[in-house]
Amino acid sequence: VGQTSVLLGTAQMHVRDHSGVMQMVRAVIDSASQVSVISTSCVERLGLKRTRWTVPLTGLSGVKVPRVEGIVECLITPRYNYDHSIPVRAWVLPKVTNDMPLHNLPPHLKTKFSHLALADPLFDRPAPVDMLLGADVFAHIFDGKRVVLEDSLPAAFSTLFGWVIIGPVTNSDCDQTHSNLVSLTVSLEHMVQRFWEVEEPDSAPEIFSQAGQ
């Protein structure tokens, strides 16, 4: 039996730019991250105004994340329903993560989920990631519905943006599909702003907790 790696869910969505025009972005959803993140290139493309931020971010095992380039506030919406939007406060980093997935997934994976309206229709092909949506907005994104087709396949989870595919993928199916994504948190000793004093989000399924490990 081959080893397994975890496929994190990706979604395509619209973000309102500085002139009010909706632009497409691709995000990865990582409930193990306490904060949301956006890439510098995406901020520049959208023309979003940055607020200076000097408090350090830390990754897993306390590793400091370099070059925090500010913080932005934006609105994310589903591609086909502008009536429902979510405000997001995101930290600006030069890069969110590597292309996801790192390699093409086998065709049968996408075929298995072809009956669902996928949040990222190209989830099985490597592509850049513009944003990371963390636990700060998790409860506003997922509605609790899940589809499990086979124990050997990842599961589909229903979200505001459509169905996202998350879960174990055997290395025999795809060689190292996971990204070296570092879940982020704010250094506890520097948690000085009240916007961190928020209610705990809904409990995530066990598989999401595993995804950030």
Side-chain angles (χ1 to χ4, degrees), residues 137-211:
V137 293
F138 176 85
H140 301 290
I141 295 174
F142 287 85
D143 61 20
K145 298 176 183 177
R146 182 178 67 163
V147 171
V148 178
L149 300 178
E150 300 175 13
D151 291 340
S152 60
L153 296 175
F157 292 84
S158 179
T159 77
L160 176 66
F161 311 109
W163 292 84
V164 298
I165 311 303
I166 301 178
V169 178
T170 61
N171 286 347
S172 59
D173 284 339
C174 181
D175 183 23
Q176 299 182 2
T177 61
H178 71 289
S179 169
N180 293 324
L181 190 64
V182 178
S183 297
L184 301 172
T185 183
V186 172
S187 302
L188 294 178
E189 65 271 20
H190 295 295
M191 294 179 77
V192 295
Q193 294 200 1
R194 289 184 59 83
F195 60 74
W196 286 115
E197 298 175 4
V198 296
E199 296 179 355
E200 288 291 326
D202 293 344
S203 298
E206 181 181 358
I207 195 167
F208 289 108
S209 299
Q210 296 172 350

Side-chain angles (χ1 to χ4, degrees), residues 14-45:
H14 283 163
V15 176
R16 190 182 303 277
D17 69 12
H18 71 288
S19 60
V21 176
M22 293 296 186
Q23 294 199 32
M24 183 81 73
V25 302
R26 186 170 186 254
V28 61
I29 302 170
D30 180 13
S31 66
S33 175
Q34 292 184 18
V35 299
S36 294
V37 176
I38 188 169
S39 70
T40 302
S41 60
C42 186
V43 169
E44 293 174 348
R45 172 164 61 91

Side-chain angles (χ1 to χ4, degrees), residues 5 36 51 74 136 143 169:
S5 53
S36 294
T51 299
C74 59
D136 51 331
D143 61 20
V169 178

